[in-house]
Amino acid sequence: MLERACREYGIALAFRPRGQPHFGGHVERVIGTLMKKVHSLPGTTFSNVAEKKDYDSERNAAMTLREFEAWLAHYIVDVYHKSPHEGLNGKAPLDMYREWIIGTADRPGIGAPPVFSHPDKLRLDFTPIVKRSIQAYGVMIDGLCYYSEILRPFVNQSAGTSKKKYVFARDPRDIGQVFFFLEQTRTYHSIPLRDLSKPAISLWE
């Protein structure tokens, strides 16, 4: 999924050399900062069993997954990016970003990046994908059947000696629908569960 999405947006994936952890220092630093904050929340599972000891994470849990996602987004956007960083000489990441976009008295800015005209496609491009052939009943993923009339022209299409497989994006937080990627138009189309009486569930559930 990541390789596919990065190709779509001209992003180069660079892997750090094995056995040279200093190449990932800037990534490890931000992950460490975020996890330290996460482990301060009630219900944390801590980093390891020894640190957790007898703490009952489930009993002390205070957020749903959706609430945690909102908390994390708020922390990243409104706290982390607006807080002074020692590695940035006391400046906040947002201030540095503005300097590079707008410029300073000593250096012209590079200008604002283009705004994506299709934010939903951007999100789905970076959503986990599965590849499946399409049958007369629809498409089967992890024992769940999905169907929409848009799939009808692609039923039992072949690719050489085997059936052709198509890309379906799936948000693990809600597998009540998947998103069929139509190659001809490079667009996604929602495909609901064939049994519409089933409630929305997460992949974990």
Side-chain angles (χ1 to χ4, degrees):
M1 173 274 294
L2 194 57
E3 290 175 345
R4 172 179 172 270
C6 286
R7 282 196 304 270
E8 178 79 10
Y9 296 97
I11 299 170
L13 280 175
F15 295 89
R16 67 184 184 188
R18 181 175 295 178
Q20 299 185 53
H22 61 278
F23 272 87
H26 56 297
V27 176
E28 299 288 354
R29 182 76 177 268
V30 67
I31 291 175
T33 299
L34 289 175
M35 292 312 298
K36 183 177 180 180
K37 202 68 181 175
V38 167
H39 289 318
S40 71
L41 297 173
T44 177
T45 56
F46 296 94
S47 296
N48 54 62
V49 176
E51 196 177 353
K52 184 175 182 289
K53 296 180 181 176
D54 296 326
Y55 182 77
D56 191 334
S57 301
E58 193 168 328
R59 180 181 294 276
N60 287 286
M63 292 184 190
T64 63
L65 181 58
R66 188 175 296 275
E67 288 169 340
F68 173 74
E69 287 177 352
W71 173 89
L72 184 61
H74 164 73
Y75 179 77
I76 293 171
V77 175
D78 295 320
V79 179
Y80 182 85
H81 283 313
K82 295 180 180 179
S83 300
H85 282 44
E86 184 180 338
L88 299 177
N89 296 320
K91 293 182 179 179
L94 183 58
D95 294 331
M96 291 294 292
Y97 177 79
R98 285 173 174 154
E99 282 188 11
W100 281 97
I101 297 298
I102 300 171
T104 65
D106 305 318
R107 184 185 65 239
I110 61 174
V115 176
F116 289 104
S117 56
H118 301 288
D120 286 337
K121 181 179 183 301
L122 174 68
R123 177 179 62 83
L124 289 170
D125 280 335
F126 283 93
T127 296
I129 63 170
V130 295
K131 293 184 177 181
R132 294 288 188 277
S133 59
I134 298 172
Q135 314 299 321
Y137 56 76
V139 61
M140 188 73 73
I141 302 174
D142 289 340
L144 295 173
C145 183
Y146 299 86
Y147 182 78
S148 170
E149 284 294 316
I150 198 171
L151 297 178
R152 189 182 292 274
F154 307 97
V155 170
N156 292 323
Q157 291 288 316
S158 61
T161 58
S162 59
K163 289 184 178 179
K164 183 174 181 179
K165 293 189 176 182
Y166 296 87
V167 169
F168 292 86
R170 181 173 67 163
D171 187 337
R173 299 168 299 179
D174 179 7
I175 59 172
Q177 62 180 334
V178 293
F179 298 88
F180 171 53
F181 182 67
L182 187 56
E183 294 177 2
Q184 293 90 329
T185 59
R186 305 196 66 75
T187 55
Y188 290 92
H189 300 268
S190 174
I191 312 296
L193 282 167
R194 191 176 185 102
D195 182 355
L196 297 177
S197 67
K198 290 184 181 292
I201 57 173
S202 69
L203 180 58
W204 177 82
E205 290 169 317

